[in-house]
Amino acid sequence: MEILMSIVVGILFMSAVYLILSKSLLRIIIGTGLLSHGAHLLLLTMSGLKTGAAPVLTDGVESYTDPLPQALVLTAIVISFGVTAFFLVLAYRTYQELGTDNMEEMKGNDSND
């Protein structure tokens, strides 16, 4: 199972880097979203998704699930959602002002910096 998850993480990272290196601002935003999803999946895969009792320490419980990876991924999902929302608003405002989402056209030139 870990090998399959590692392959999926690699595919997510590969497609995210491809999208981030494109010239379209919307593709860059989608690429950052894919990159964050790949990082979440990598963190869960590396933590080893163990099964066991709930992480409540009581008498007689010897095997319990570690809640730290799930808490870290949940926090990272919330942060990536906020960053993606900010990027989308920034891209929308940029498109309103400049009329394009092409990064090459947004660079400007010597007369218009």
Side-chain angles (χ1 to χ4, degrees):
M1 184 68 161
E2 288 87 16
I3 294 174
L4 178 64
M5 297 292 267
S6 300
I7 291 171
V8 171
V9 168
I11 291 171
L12 281 173
F13 281 161
M14 177 189 62
S15 58
V17 169
Y18 175 76
L19 288 172
I20 289 173
L21 293 175
S22 69
K23 294 181 182 179
S24 173
L25 190 57
L26 189 59
R27 285 185 178 201
I28 293 171
I29 294 170
I30 293 171
T32 57
L34 282 178
L35 189 69
S36 67
H37 286 311
H40 301 155
L41 194 59
L42 178 68
L43 185 65
L44 283 177
T45 303
M46 295 306 293
S47 67
L49 294 179
K50 298 172 184 69
T51 58
V56 178
L57 298 178
T58 59
D59 293 335
V61 175
E62 295 181 13
S63 173
Y64 60 92
T65 306
D66 186 17
L68 185 62
Q70 292 144 2
L72 287 174
V73 169
L74 183 62
T75 304
I77 288 171
V78 171
I79 291 171
S80 67
F81 175 73
V83 169
T84 303
F86 174 71
F87 281 165
L88 286 172
V89 169
L90 192 63
Y92 178 70
R93 183 71 179 138
T94 303
Y95 185 77
Q96 278 184 334
E97 288 293 319
L98 301 177
T100 184
D101 72 338
N102 190 346
M103 295 299 286
E104 291 294 322
E105 294 176 11
M106 284 189 225
K107 279 185 180 178
N109 51 24
D110 294 334
S111 63
N112 188 15
D113 281 330

